[in-house]
Amino acid sequence: MDFLLDKEHEQIRQLVRDFADKEIAPGAAERDEKEAFDRGIFDKMASLGLTGIPWPEQYGGAGMDYLAYVLTIEELARVDASAAVVLSAHTSLAGWPIYKFGTEEQKQKYLRPMAEGKWIGAYGLTEPGSGSDAAGMRTTAVKDGNEYVLSGSKVFITNGGPAEVYVVFALTDPSKRARGVTAFILEKGMPGFSIGKHEKKMGIRSSTTVELIFDNVRVPEENRLGEEGFGFKIAMMTLDGGRNGIAAQALGIARGAYEKARAYAVERKQFGAPIADLQAIQFKLADMATKIEAARLLTYQAAWLESKGLPYGQASAMSKVFASDTAMQVTTEAVQVFGGYGFIREYEVERMMRDAKITQIYEGTNEIQRLVIARNLLNEVRG
């Protein structure tokens, strides 16, 4: 068992770290304050080949693996979780189902420009009355000749608005619930497809989160993703991989907060000595570093399993739960290390703490992930 990154992975880590420090970190606080999405950052990611890391070169990607992808998300989130979630949703949630289930024509038409960074992708599953109960959705898709007519809405859509491509789920047979869900690829600007409410959020404020509205949107049959009734499986399989991205995001947030707290502890003096000399602070830093290392190992393992084509659903659920809980714990302790200054927006740990909270919620709340993990463990015993 080798825990060392190879040369290729070290290179991508260093490339993204340098990019994040030079291009993303300087304006992160201002973008958060203004709640401003910056398309230019995504364009710069594209110029470095980051918008298609795990996709083959024949589809405009970099031809790397999912470990390279989570390393990228981690390094971005270390300085700005919003930038990380934009790329994560674009890749894991919008790109993955097209790559996995799309036809060759769909991959060339949609995945290629997404991988090249010309288009941004988004994923539409959640509805106002069916958050984690995806099978309870109400958006419908009625077949009409060689088209489907979509009616309904989706909420909490990351990248909604700027995105050009949307993977959307709707009921083609409401009587079958989960077995009646079908996936579709929608394009920005389709008649009847509009952007509704823009959410005002606690964290990740420089990424967009919006409502999608479908008012009799006519979607060509060739834009159906997979077979009719297979959409729920596509959605659930997509979320398995999406959790790897969330775990990496949480890991990056935790690392960023820990590094800020450690540096501050050495610089800040109280009673004539750095607070880093206080055992109470040393214990905090030790616990923070230990939890981050454990989260890193879980996250990298899940990404490695996905890269090898091995089952990774359980591993991704575990990594998501542990890394996101770690992010919340570490950022909270980082604010504590900073004392009163940690509560002030001038110091970045305040933003990191706000950003960390969402990692415990989206891609399936941690409570649901624990249920999934427990059921799998118990099924192993029950047979």
Side-chain angles (χ1 to χ4, degrees):
M1 186 175 293
D2 189 353
F3 289 95
L4 296 176
L5 295 178
D6 60 27
K7 183 179 180 180
E8 184 181 47
H9 289 108
E10 283 290 1
Q11 287 176 338
I12 189 70
R13 179 200 287 278
Q14 193 59 54
L15 172 71
V16 180
R17 182 176 297 177
D18 291 343
F19 168 72
D21 286 340
K22 295 175 183 177
E23 300 290 342
I24 297 181
E30 181 179 1
R31 290 191 300 273
D32 173 78
E33 187 69 27
K34 295 180 178 179
E35 301 185 31
F37 170 75
D38 186 351
R39 180 68 181 248
I41 289 177
F42 185 83
D43 293 340
K44 290 177 181 178
M45 292 183 194
S47 68
L48 293 176
L50 305 183
T51 51
I53 288 175
W55 314 136
E57 293 180 9
Q58 70 189 88
Y59 301 125
M64 300 184 74
D65 62 9
Y66 294 102
L67 179 55
Y69 164 64
V70 300
L71 288 169
T72 297
I73 298 299
E74 176 190 349
E75 292 300 331
L76 295 174
R78 184 178 63 88
V79 301
D80 185 2
S82 292
V85 77
V86 169
L87 186 62
S88 179
H90 167 82
T91 305
S92 293
L93 300 184
W96 189 89
I98 297 176
Y99 172 68
K100 186 70 175 180
F101 300 102
T103 64
E104 184 64 25
E105 290 74 19
Q106 288 171 339
K107 292 175 185 177
Q108 292 295 342
K109 184 176 181 179
Y110 296 110
L111 186 60
R112 174 175 285 279
M114 289 170 62
E116 293 173 346
K118 296 174 182 176
W119 289 351
I120 296 178
Y123 178 87
L125 177 65
T126 303
E127 297 186 4
S130 61
S132 298
D133 179 18
M137 70 177 64
R138 295 186 177 181
T139 296
T140 59
V142 179
K143 188 73 179 295
D144 183 19
N146 61 355
E147 295 179 317
Y148 290 86
V149 182
L150 267 67
S151 300
S153 64
K154 302 290 181 179
V155 294
F156 304 148
I157 309 304
T158 301
N159 293 346
E164 287 83 9
V165 180
Y166 297 77
V167 175
V168 173
F169 299 84
L171 288 166
T172 46
D173 188 345
S175 67
K176 294 182 179 179
R177 284 180 56 83
R179 291 187 175 89
V181 176
T182 302
F184 299 90
I185 304 173
L186 271 64
E187 298 178 34
K188 184 177 186 178
M190 282 181 164
F193 178 22
S194 61
I195 304 299
K197 179 184 179 183
H198 285 251
E199 301 294 347
K200 305 288 284 185
K201 299 173 295 185
M202 173 192 292
I204 56 168
R205 302 200 308 184
S206 59
S207 68
T208 61
T209 303
V210 306
E211 175 188 26
L212 305 181
I213 299 173
F214 313 112
D215 184 8
N216 295 318
V217 181
R218 304 191 75 86
V219 181
E221 186 173 7
E222 58 264 27
N223 279 44
R224 187 185 69 213
L225 185 61
E227 298 300 319
E228 274 197 17
F230 197 67
F232 187 75
K233 291 184 179 179
I234 292 176
M236 296 302 102
M237 291 174 70
T238 299
L239 291 178
D240 280 344
R243 291 182 190 107
N244 288 344
I246 300 309
Q249 181 184 336
L251 174 60
I253 294 170
R255 267 190 56 217
Y258 162 72
E259 290 170 2
K260 296 289 184 185
R262 183 179 59 178
Y264 182 81
V266 172
E267 297 167 0
R268 174 68 168 169
K269 291 186 177 181
Q270 289 281 279
F271 309 109
I275 62 172
D277 290 349
L278 299 173
Q279 192 176 67
I281 299 299
Q282 292 175 359
F283 281 4
K284 288 183 185 296
L285 294 174
D287 286 344
M288 292 160 75
T290 301
K291 290 175 182 178
I292 289 170
E293 188 63 21
R296 175 182 290 112
L297 292 172
L298 282 170
T299 301
Y300 289 7
Q301 175 189 240
W304 179 85
L305 289 170
E306 185 176 10
S307 297
K308 296 297 183 182
L310 299 171
Y312 63 91
Q314 178 88 330
S316 71
M318 287 180 169
S319 66
K320 190 268 185 185
V321 167
F322 190 84
S324 60
D325 283 350
T326 293
M328 200 67 241
Q329 293 161 4
V330 168
T331 55
T332 300
E333 289 288 56
V335 169
Q336 196 71 18
V337 169
F338 273 77
Y341 290 110
F343 202 66
I344 297 173
R345 289 191 182 181
E346 180 183 350
Y347 292 83
E348 293 175 295
V349 291
E350 176 270 343
R351 168 169 54 86
M352 292 172 175
M353 184 178 178
R354 287 188 285 106
D355 288 344
K357 185 59 191 175
I358 192 59
T359 64
Q360 294 179 309
I361 298 171
Y362 59 7
E363 309 307 331
T365 65
N366 280 5
E367 290 76 13
I368 289 175
Q369 296 313 301
R370 286 185 169 91
L371 283 174
V372 171
I373 294 167
R375 287 172 183 170
N376 288 340
L377 296 174
L378 292 173
N379 286 340
E380 291 177 3
V381 178
R382 291 168 179 161

